[in-house]
Structure formats: structure tokens, C-alpha cells
Amino acid sequence: SEAMLREFHRPVARAKAIEAANIIIECGVECYFDMITKVHFETEEHCRETFEFLLEFPQKIRSIGFGAMVNFPG
């Protein structure tokens, strides 16, 4: 979700991410993404927003994995 992206200092608008993905596809570049999940302060609303984003994201860009957030002391 955009809120999670801001929290991790990656303020990218949903529309810009989709636009960039479409440009990558148009240029013929093979591209993959991964996603960090299960952030301890992520809400159900954040998860739903992320799900909606993934439905809009171009399917030609494939996921290489969904990794759970791991917190370390300090």
C-alpha cells in the first residue's frame, strides 16, 4: 500500500508504479518484483490496498517471491 511505502521511505504513487511497469513492458525488458509481507504494523486495510494494486499491476511482470518481514532487536 502507499502508506507502507511511505513508512519505508519509498513514496511511490500507485499510478506511477503501474505506469512505470507498463513502460518497462513496452520496452521489452524482462522484469520481476518481490514483496515484503506480514509487516507487524500493517493493517487489513493496507493488505486490501496492496491486493487491489496487484490486480491492476501488469501480469507480464512476474513475482519472484513474497517474503515475510523479520524484525531484529535494535
Side-chain angles (χ1 to χ4, degrees), residues 29-41:
V29 176
E30 188 171 335
C31 186
Y32 301 90
F33 74 95
D34 62 353
M35 183 177 292
I36 298 171
T37 61
K38 299 182 182 177
V39 178
H40 67 281
F41 51 84

Side-chain angles (χ1 to χ4, degrees), residues 3-36:
M4 290 289 97
L5 289 170
R6 281 191 305 276
E7 184 68 33
F8 291 103
H9 308 288
R10 291 170 173 82
V12 178
R14 178 182 187 157
K16 281 290 186 189
I18 292 169
E19 178 185 354
N22 284 318
I23 290 170
I24 289 168
I25 292 166
E26 289 170 13
C27 290
V29 176
E30 188 171 335
C31 186
Y32 301 90
F33 74 95
D34 62 353
M35 183 177 292
I36 298 171

Side-chain angles (χ1 to χ4, degrees), residues 21 30-36 50 53-54 57-67:
E30 188 171 335
C31 186
Y32 301 90
F33 74 95
D34 62 353
M35 183 177 292
I36 298 171
T50 299
F53 167 77
L54 291 173
F57 200 69
Q59 291 182 4
K60 289 187 178 183
I61 297 184
R62 302 289 182 182
S63 169
I64 59 171
F66 292 83

